[in-house]
Amino acid sequence: MTESTFIHRFEPATNTGSHPLLLLHGTGGDENDLLGLGKMISPGAALLSPRGRVLEHGMPRFFRRLAEGVLDEEDVRKRAAELGDFVTDARQRYGIAAPVAVGFSNGANIAAALLLLKPDALAGAILLRAMVPLSDPPKANLAGKPILLLSGQGDPIVPASNSAHLAALLSQAGASVTHKVLPAGHQLSQADVTLARNWIGNVAAEAA
Ligand code: MLT
């Protein structure tokens, strides 16, 4: 597996003090989708943005699903391993540190799976409208990893109990989880951008 097996964009850092971001789009997005969001959240950070390799009626995704909100867990595991390999290869190729994932919807779900299956791949994560990706995840060690989980109060895809379960799962694995429920649906709002920008600024300040 090499990084060339994921179509992707890479933008080098202009601010070397910030974590690289791994941008993971939602269903139907592509490698260009979240570049603007990444720049708003962390200006000058290196941006690594792959396109999901699974197609659902022509729409790129990071893994298969059986129905909306019903994930094909075998495929989640397989695709998370592939994404982990991509990150390892891309880090070598571009000379970057372990990234903080910024995932939206399907991209947030693969980021959550990557955290649980291959914790060393990521330095942390911003999970936007994520759900529990695996019903029986392995025991992961996420000690010290900062994770921001932003959920929508009226999200028709992710019930409140599901996102609360995900926050608990990540905390129990040792991650430092901030979970906020916003007055929003599944789509992102300006509050997501502001909270994510402030959160990553604090993470960078703590790491400095
Ligand atoms: C998923 O399949 O990851 C979830 O249903 C979220 C989505 O893509 O809409």
Side-chain angles (χ1 to χ4, degrees):
M1 168 78 40
T2 69
E3 81 285 343
S4 60
T5 56
F6 274 81
I7 294 168
H8 67 278
R9 295 271 305 262
F10 176 73
E11 295 206 1
T14 54
N15 171 4
T16 46
S18 44
H19 285 286
L21 302 183
L22 174 68
L23 303 172
L24 300 166
H25 62 78
T27 301
D30 67 20
E31 67 279 12
N32 300 305
D33 254 38
L34 298 187
L35 292 173
L37 179 68
K39 286 175 189 163
M40 282 192 275
I41 291 177
S42 186
L47 303 176
L48 177 63
S49 187
R51 183 193 300 182
R53 299 172 61 193
V54 168
L55 288 180
E56 183 184 273
H57 307 301
M59 295 186 294
R61 289 175 46 84
F62 286 97
F63 56 83
R64 274 191 225 114
R65 64 180 162 183
L66 307 173
E68 194 172 81
V70 185
L71 314 184
D72 176 340
E73 293 200 16
E74 201 183 315
D75 200 54
V76 171
R77 287 174 186 269
K78 176 177 155 202
R79 303 294 177 177
E82 289 175 0
L83 185 63
D85 288 346
F86 164 75
V87 172
T88 304
D89 289 350
R91 282 186 58 189
Q92 269 193 342
R93 174 171 171 176
Y94 298 120
I96 55 172
V100 169
V102 179
F104 167 61
S105 188
N106 181 245
N109 296 341
I110 195 75
L114 193 54
L115 283 166
L116 293 166
L117 295 168
K118 210 173 172 186
D120 292 345
L122 299 176
I126 297 174
L127 305 175
L128 305 165
R129 310 298 184 270
M131 60 195 292
V132 175
L134 295 166
S135 50
D136 188 18
K139 235 181 161 357
N141 179 4
L142 295 173
K145 296 226 194 267
I147 296 174
L148 176 65
L149 174 59
L150 297 180
S151 306
Q153 202 172 28
D155 190 333
I157 299 176
V158 187
S161 57
N162 189 300
S163 53
H165 181 188
L166 177 60
L169 201 64
L170 296 169
S171 299
Q172 280 154 18
S176 169
V177 179
T178 304
H179 183 201
K180 289 196 188 310
V181 182
L182 309 181
H186 197 67
Q187 293 312 311
L188 297 182
S189 66
Q190 182 57 43
D192 288 276
V193 179
T194 307
L195 286 165
R197 190 174 50 221
N198 292 343
W199 178 87
I200 207 153
N202 289 338
V203 167
E206 276 167 29

